[in-house]
Amino acid sequence: MTDTLSAGSVDGAESVRDQVLDWRRHLHRHPELSFHETETAAFVADTLASFGDGLEVERPAEHAVVGRIATGRPGPVVALRADIDALPIEEASGVEFASENPGVMHACGHDGHTAMLLGAAKLLAGERDRLPGGELRLLFQPAEELAPGGARDLVAAGAMEGVDFVYGCHLWTPLEFGKVAAMPGPFMAASDFFTLAITGRGGHGGLPHLADDTIAIAAQVVTNLQHVVARRVDPLERAVLSVGAFHAGDAPNVLPGRAELAGTVRSFDADLRERLPVLIEDIVRGVTSAHGAEYELDYQFGYQPVVNDEAATALVREAIPAEALVDLAPIMGGDDFSAYLAEAPGCYVFIGAGDEEAGATFPHHHPRFRIDERALATGVRLHVDVALRALKEVVSR
Ligand SMILES: [Zn+2]
Ligand SMILES: [Zn+2]
């Protein structure tokens, strides 16, 4: 009879530290866009396969990889998740392992998430016979950055079947290295998206009275849309509306007959979330009809809000040293980790990866984004510690 492992008894930091760093830098050099993570998924699958018989590798959905560590003994099913995709950004971080894929960059830290979960997988697979019982499921998920997201494909493929507890983490540079945030309740916003085309008669820039100036109309729509949040939503309620794309026209003396906008809408409250597209369309309809133009509005509900389960979060907080634990205000960023939380109780954690000396001061999705790589060891240790606690303490449903 072998001893059962307890939390803290696998030292995640030391034995895989260099490998995790190498994996992270390899992935950073070779970023792939959402839903195109062919090489990344192959790398993950090959690396998992190299950990030996303790771990089975499955490919349940395109660009996704799931590793299973089944003890064969009764116990809960505990899922750990990493997202693996990169962003359409030209890297300007200046690191020596910068992207070799022009126009694509790991500018959100998902390379780190992937490497940390690989590190934890290696440690836990090596200890399979000493795990408390139950099953560990390692979810490597494509396309967190692009709605409808990769999580729902994994859920649809059955990756969450039987799962009793799900854990995920995000490296976070606005939080300094050494700090970790894990709060119960609403933590990340619902993120929805819209595209809007405004159409009318194009015409001569010198004869505006014979045309519909879709640029001027679209500009008014952008300005007026801010009134949705500023004037129509309770100021104590959380909501954001951002127009991130505005495309129209090619020449200085031509009024284009079409202007295209795209934006994102963030909220927490379910009723407000339903009401926002109605308020948006009111503005769009009013402004375009006032100026004789037409519109096509396409509104897509994206990710649900990330709401951490009370008991799951309490378990995770016990794995975080008291001096590291901080509380953050909920953030208006979204994450399709919520798709897993719809299937099982769980907790999504932010791991501090900001540091002035490490140059990790730029926001996520910035071309000069960097992480403090010391945070990788924190992430591995937490994955392992949370997994062991959950296998031991979570009651199988
Ligand atoms: Zn991101
Ligand atoms: Zn991210």
Side-chain angles (χ1 to χ4, degrees):
M1 175 91 195
T2 47
D3 298 345
T4 300
L5 289 171
S6 59
S9 60
V10 177
D11 188 352
E14 292 315 314
S15 61
V16 294
R17 183 194 292 267
D18 292 346
Q19 255 182 323
V20 169
L21 195 66
D22 285 348
W23 291 329
R24 186 260 158 165
R25 292 183 173 193
H26 169 84
L27 293 164
H28 195 86
R29 270 198 182 95
H30 305 285
E32 292 176 298
L33 291 175
S34 309
F35 295 113
H36 294 87
E37 305 91 335
T38 308
E39 300 298 323
T40 307
F43 175 80
V44 167
D46 290 349
T47 307
L48 287 175
S50 75
F51 299 158
D53 297 341
L55 194 151
E56 301 155 44
V57 183
E58 295 169 13
R59 299 292 306 270
E62 205 180 1
H63 307 119
V65 186
V66 172
R68 272 178 211 267
I69 304 172
T71 65
R73 283 167 280 123
V77 180
V78 172
L80 309 174
R81 173 268 206 167
D83 43 13
I84 68 172
D85 57 326
L87 287 154
I89 292 174
E90 183 72 39
E91 178 156 4
S93 71
V95 297
E96 67 193 22
F97 48 91
S99 170
E100 294 173 9
N101 188 0
V104 185
M105 177 188 177
H106 269 295
C108 201
H110 300 186
D111 48 345
H113 304 168
T114 309
M116 294 188 302
L117 188 54
L118 285 172
K122 181 172 183 182
L123 290 167
L124 291 161
E127 301 283 359
R128 184 180 65 171
D129 295 337
R130 294 207 300 149
L131 294 176
E135 179 194 320
L136 285 173
R137 221 172 275 174
L138 316 160
L139 313 179
F140 293 88
Q141 173 216 307
E144 187 283 321
E145 297 284 8
L146 187 62
R152 69 173 200 170
D153 292 341
L154 270 174
V155 171
M160 285 295 287
E161 258 162 46
V163 170
D164 299 292
F165 177 99
V166 59
Y167 167 81
C169 64
H170 206 300
L171 294 166
W172 196 238
T173 60
L175 188 62
E176 64 176 311
F177 166 72
K179 302 295 181 194
V180 179
M183 286 90 58
F187 184 38
M188 299 182 79
S191 54
D192 304 323
F193 298 88
F194 67 87
T195 58
L196 172 65
I198 294 170
T199 54
R201 296 167 299 159
H204 196 293
L207 303 165
H209 56 297
L210 300 178
D212 302 309
D213 184 349
T214 59
I215 289 183
I217 297 166
Q220 288 195 27
V221 167
V222 172
T223 308
N224 277 278
L225 280 177
Q226 289 312 318
H227 283 242
V228 170
V229 173
R231 305 286 80 169
R232 303 294 299 278
V233 174
D234 181 340
L236 297 181
E237 192 60 65
R238 301 184 186 104
V240 174
L241 189 163
S242 292
V243 175
F246 189 132
H247 298 290
D250 296 302
N253 57 352
V254 178
L255 300 177
R258 185 179 178 89
E260 292 177 356
L261 306 177
T264 184
V265 182
R266 308 294 170 100
S267 60
F268 277 95
D269 180 76
D271 290 340
L272 174 60
R273 190 183 185 199
E274 292 286 332
R275 203 157 62 86
L276 284 164
V278 178
L279 296 173
I280 287 168
E281 185 151 18
D282 282 351
I283 298 275
V284 172
R285 189 189 309 111
V287 174
T288 51
S289 86
H291 301 293
E294 316 232 294
Y295 71 90
E296 297 148 41
L297 177 64
D298 181 32
Y299 198 94
Q300 300 285 344
F301 289 104
Y303 305 158
Q304 300 284 334
V306 172
V307 182
N308 283 337
D309 177 75
E310 196 102 13
T313 305
L315 182 147
V316 169
R317 285 171 75 96
E318 286 187 3
I320 301 167
E323 65 275 15
L325 196 58
V326 291
D327 284 349
L328 292 179
I331 65 162
M332 300 310 285
D335 197 298
D336 68 350
F337 189 76
S338 53
Y340 306 113
L341 290 173
E343 304 294 316
C347 179
Y348 198 50
V349 165
F350 274 26
I351 296 176
D355 183 76
E356 201 121 341
E357 247 170 71
T361 55
F362 291 92
H364 291 250
H365 296 200
H366 191 285
R368 295 177 68 185
F369 176 78
R370 287 192 196 192
I371 58 164
D372 184 334
E373 290 181 311
R374 290 176 298 172
L376 297 171
T378 310
V380 173
R381 200 183 302 122
L382 255 181
H383 269 307
V384 171
D385 224 22
V386 168
L388 292 175
R389 281 173 196 275
L391 287 178
K392 194 170 257 181
E393 293 171 31
V394 171
V395 178
S396 182
R397 287 185 291 176

